[in-house]
Amino acid sequence: MNYEQARFNMIEQQIRPWEVLDNQVLSLLAIVRREDFVPLAHRALAFVDMEIPLDAGPTSQREPGQCMLAPKVEARILQDLAVQKHEKVLEIGTGSGYMAALLAHRGQQVVTLEINPVLASSARINLQRAGVYNAEVLNRDGAASFGPQAAAGAEDDVLNSLFDVIVLSGSVAEVPSGLLSRLKVGGRLSAIVGFEPVMRATLVTRVADKAWRTTQAWDTVAPRLLHFPEPSTFTF
């Protein structure tokens, strides 16, 4: 397989037509080797417009929906967030580590949480092999770490600070309020919010100490992040 040609085709045929026109994002997608973050069994699909399943270890440790998001979705999120070199980033849902690698190239530091221990270990290896040293993978439940029952302590110092950027690499029923409170003023949170068949890519900016601005610019779908609240009933 000609990976460079496939990468070029992905950028020109999938990502540009999806209104990703930021040259810094496009250049980054050409540099970071997506195929190195794809499970070996699915490497031929690395540049296909689809979600790629992730091997999360023994059946007892697997959870439904664990996958890499489609390339155009990852690229659009990266463009929306406009991460700057001085910024500290939190990601919920590390998966294979590919999105963390992209964020690490744009920002100063990335902390990324992965609930599955096998995926967390694999992501660490993938990032090290890619030469990404400013991304820290923690085997944590993102919902529990920032939910109402989250416990503060010395071992969670890395999560007790504020972040410039927060990325949810999966969907949720609603934007978690516990994460909004962890944004710095001027910080941005990206999440895919709602219910199938249509979800909204949601960007929340903290514009003041107690004020946030929300925009929903495009539609997509993504697997659920685990353990975030779901409404008990859904009515039109």
Side-chain angles (χ1 to χ4, degrees):
M1 179 177 176
N2 186 334
Y3 285 113
E4 295 311 314
Q5 185 63 51
R7 194 184 335 277
F8 176 85
N9 292 342
M10 174 190 74
I11 292 170
E12 297 300 323
Q13 298 173 12
Q14 297 175 41
I15 293 172
R16 279 189 189 273
W18 234 49
E19 299 182 18
V20 179
L21 303 175
D22 184 321
N23 285 329
Q24 290 185 330
V25 172
L26 296 174
S27 296
L28 185 57
L29 295 171
I31 293 170
V32 179
R33 294 167 55 89
R34 193 172 198 270
E35 66 272 23
D36 291 346
F37 291 85
V38 175
L40 186 59
H42 303 299
R43 191 154 294 181
L45 304 175
F47 306 104
V48 176
D49 183 15
M50 63 177 288
E51 295 166 356
I52 297 178
L54 295 175
D55 182 359
T59 303
S60 62
Q61 294 180 323
R62 296 180 188 178
E63 298 284 355
Q66 290 175 313
C67 68
M68 293 178 69
L69 297 177
K72 65 186 183 185
V73 173
E74 294 167 324
R76 190 77 182 264
I77 290 171
L78 201 62
Q79 176 174 263
D80 288 351
L81 286 169
V83 181
Q84 303 298 307
K85 277 294 183 184
H86 66 280
E87 292 186 319
K88 183 177 180 180
V89 182
L90 171 69
E91 181 192 23
I92 308 295
T94 313
S96 71
Y98 178 65
M99 189 63 166
L102 296 174
L103 293 164
H105 276 275
R106 296 297 302 270
Q108 182 183 76
Q109 178 188 8
V110 176
V111 177
T112 178
L113 309 188
E114 173 54 53
I115 191 172
N116 184 283
V118 176
L119 284 181
S121 177
S122 177
R124 288 189 194 102
I125 294 169
N126 290 340
L127 289 164
Q128 289 171 1
R129 287 175 177 170
V132 177
Y133 301 112
N134 60 329
E136 181 180 8
V137 181
L138 301 179
N139 178 208
R140 304 281 183 87
D141 181 341
S145 296
F146 296 97
Q149 305 303 318
E155 66 176 0
D156 289 317
D157 280 351
V158 70
L159 301 182
N160 287 335
S161 58
L162 298 179
F163 295 88
D164 300 286
V165 174
I166 299 177
V167 185
L168 278 68
S169 290
S171 68
V172 289
E174 58 188 15
V175 177
S177 59
L179 285 172
L180 290 178
S181 66
R182 298 303 180 90
L183 280 177
K184 295 180 182 178
V185 174
R188 292 88 64 208
L189 178 148
S190 171
I192 297 170
V193 180
F195 303 85
E196 292 192 82
V198 177
M199 302 175 185
R200 307 298 306 278
T202 302
L203 185 69
V204 182
T205 303
R206 189 168 195 171
V207 296
D209 188 49
K210 296 184 179 180
W212 293 262
R213 180 181 65 244
T214 300
T215 58
Q216 294 181 311
W218 45 283
D219 296 340
T220 188
V221 293
R224 277 290 193 250
L225 288 173
L226 297 176
H227 304 160
F228 282 93
E230 296 285 341
S232 56
T233 59
F234 180 70
T235 57
F236 291 95

